[in-house]
Amino acid sequence: QYPGSGQYPYAGQFPGAPQAQAWMRGPVTRDGVPLASWGKRVGAWLIDGVIILVVGGMLGWFGTPRLGELFQELGDATVENDSAAIDAIARDLTGPMVQMSLIIWLFATVYCILFWTTTAQTPGKMVIGISVRAADQPGPLTLGTSVMRRLVPLAGQFVPFLSLLDGLWPLWDPQRQALHDKVAKTVVVEGKQPRRPM
């Protein structure tokens, strides 16, 4: 059996059970592990997204005190219908908003890399029952591979269309890889990953 999975044998060793035959109809890794569907990836991403938005948002808010002050000033200017003040505050908001976005992105990066390099499953992936691994071997990702996997999301901060394309790419890719998987040479598969030997 596939080491550490406890449930998926290698390609060519599937028994004749209907469930096994169903797995065979979908794409698998070179060593026979079923690749996670786009729907499952999205489900895991939504769960992780909520965690990152809540925790990262709190860190970003407290890490950018000027942002709260500007929102208070914006509220006062809106009540007073002071259009000149509103325009000035809106311009002043740009810097703190960028700072807050950077804090959230940094938290998301630490969050992902921490889980990818230890269990190969973020909390979202744990709930859905999928994991990430290198395309050519099982196990948690190395630090270098994890950093590579964050490059496309980083670029997506500046090119929103790239984020959309990255998220949709597994729909037509034969290995169900997103663009960040292509860059890092990773895949998302069904089940858990074996722990890296100590």
Side-chain angles (χ1 to χ4, degrees):
Q1 285 193 330
Y2 170 65
S5 71
Q7 52 185 325
Y8 302 123
Y10 290 106
Q13 295 180 326
F14 285 83
Q19 184 179 7
Q21 292 173 355
W23 281 122
M24 285 296 287
R25 286 197 291 269
V28 298
T29 62
R30 292 179 180 177
D31 51 349
V33 184
L35 297 170
S37 68
W38 180 78
K40 286 189 175 184
R41 293 186 63 151
V42 170
W45 177 83
L46 289 174
I47 294 170
D48 289 326
V50 170
I51 296 172
I52 290 169
L53 187 60
V54 171
V55 179
M58 291 175 62
L59 292 173
W61 181 262
F62 290 114
T64 317
R66 179 60 178 149
L67 195 59
E69 297 171 5
L70 287 172
F71 274 116
Q72 180 62 50
E73 294 173 11
L74 183 61
D76 294 340
T78 302
V79 171
E80 296 172 3
N81 198 26
D82 187 341
S83 58
I86 291 173
D87 291 341
I89 294 168
R91 288 192 295 271
D92 290 342
L93 274 170
T94 302
M97 288 296 291
V98 170
Q99 182 180 342
M100 182 176 183
S101 297
L102 179 60
I103 292 173
I104 294 174
W105 185 86
L106 287 173
F107 170 73
T109 297
V110 172
Y111 172 94
C112 290
I113 291 176
L114 176 64
F115 287 110
W116 292 344
T117 57
T118 53
T119 64
Q121 292 179 299
T122 56
K125 285 182 169 60
M126 291 178 192
V127 171
I128 301 299
I130 59 178
S131 61
V132 61
R133 51 165 276 187
D136 59 353
Q137 65 180 5
L141 303 183
T142 63
L143 178 59
T145 299
S146 297
V147 171
M148 290 290 291
R149 205 167 189 262
R150 288 295 295 166
L151 293 182
V152 172
L154 173 60
Q157 296 291 306
F158 306 97
V159 186
F161 177 72
L162 181 60
S163 293
L164 177 62
L165 188 63
D166 182 36
L168 294 177
W169 201 269
L171 283 171
W172 55 77
D173 187 82
Q175 288 299 302
R176 294 181 176 174
Q177 289 176 302
L179 294 179
H180 60 267
D181 289 311
K182 295 289 187 184
V183 170
K185 298 180 181 179
T186 58
V187 290
V188 178
V189 298
E190 295 284 348
K192 300 179 179 180
Q193 292 302 305
R195 294 298 183 93
R196 188 179 292 114
M198 299 299 290

